[in-house]
Amino acid sequence: MSSRSFPQFPVVDASSRTGFAGNRLDRIAEARTGLSAAEVAARPGAGFYLFTDDGAVLSGPEAAPVALHDRAAAEYLGAALDQAIVLGFDDGVPRLAARIPGLSDGAAAWTRDLRSLAVDGTLAPHDLGAIAQARSLISWHDRHGFCANCGQKSMPSHGGYRRDCPACGTQHFPRTDPVVIMLAVDGDRCVLGRQYRFAPGVYSCLAGFVEPGETLEDAVRRELYEEAGIRTGAVTYHASQPWPFPSSLMIGCFAEATSFDLVREVEELEDVRWFERAELSAMLAKTHPDGFLVPPAMAIAHHLIKAYADGGVV
Ligand SMILES: [Zn+2]
């Protein structure tokens, strides 16, 4: 019998507490072959998440915005429905994403960037999750209009989940870029850093892209050495978060420090330092005497820090 124990149902993943994690759409990935977005967009009840370059298109009051638009509204707002993407189905009803080239001044709609929507929490988690999926896919189409193999123009297929090159036959798939984000710990203290662009007082976990040919554990250890100058040993996974800027997956880990003298990477970090576990609780409660803060609850960094502050890990 395995010594590994799984949590009891219903499982509540640590990941589910992060922003953008509430997507409940049935992605019907097995049924995308030959799927026509135009045909799905014409089905009764089809709903559309819409975007401009500035963010998600919303209607209704700002305190309780509506993110999902019916076909009539999408057409009225000028959505490019001929380039719609099938995100999936919600209780059998299709959900799609589409771009609006430009929102007219008279339209009864407005835009909001995804980060702000995740922070202010005015959208239902399932809408925010679907918007993250939609934003990543729209961004992928925007940046991958030409075949990376032969340079010819490629065409959307599979309901928008693939692009095919008519010239050389190469199939192109949406990308997801893995990023490790981690808390290096040593008993009752851990390492947090401050990027130059952070709001005053905010410290967060260090993070970086996973490189080709690298395990997650090695990426965690490499990034901590590059950014903070410390060596780490064991690495454990905690949670992940879709991060639609434009298409990352944040992979949150804890790492056990095996060296302790910090050397800051000056290009990226304004400061890096050890924090005592008790300090983290004050930062989470916004009562730290020096005014230090952690990222908002939508961010996976918040949940890594909180899990460690609560003593639930390592
Ligand atoms: Zn090609």
Side-chain angles (χ1 to χ4, degrees), residues 109-160:
W110 40 283
T111 58
R112 194 95 200 274
D113 72 278
L114 271 59
R115 202 179 302 258
S116 300
L117 281 172
V119 169
D120 70 24
T122 50
L123 286 183
H126 66 267
D127 278 328
L128 195 60
I131 280 176
Q133 177 191 2
R135 177 68 256 182
S136 288
L137 282 158
I138 285 177
S139 177
W140 176 70
H141 284 284
D142 284 350
R143 292 175 297 125
H144 293 79
F146 294 87
C147 176
N149 187 50
C150 77
Q152 295 298 305
K153 189 169 174 52
S154 61
M155 300 300 292
S157 70
H158 288 54

Side-chain angles (χ1 to χ4, degrees), residues 241-260:
Q241 177 181 29
W243 193 248
F245 306 104
S247 57
S248 292
L249 176 67
M250 308 293 279
I251 301 156
C253 297
F254 295 98
E256 182 183 31
T258 56
S259 80
F260 311 101

Side-chain angles (χ1 to χ4, degrees), residues 52-65:
T52 69
D53 286 340
D54 297 325
V57 175
L58 308 170
S59 60
E62 286 205 22

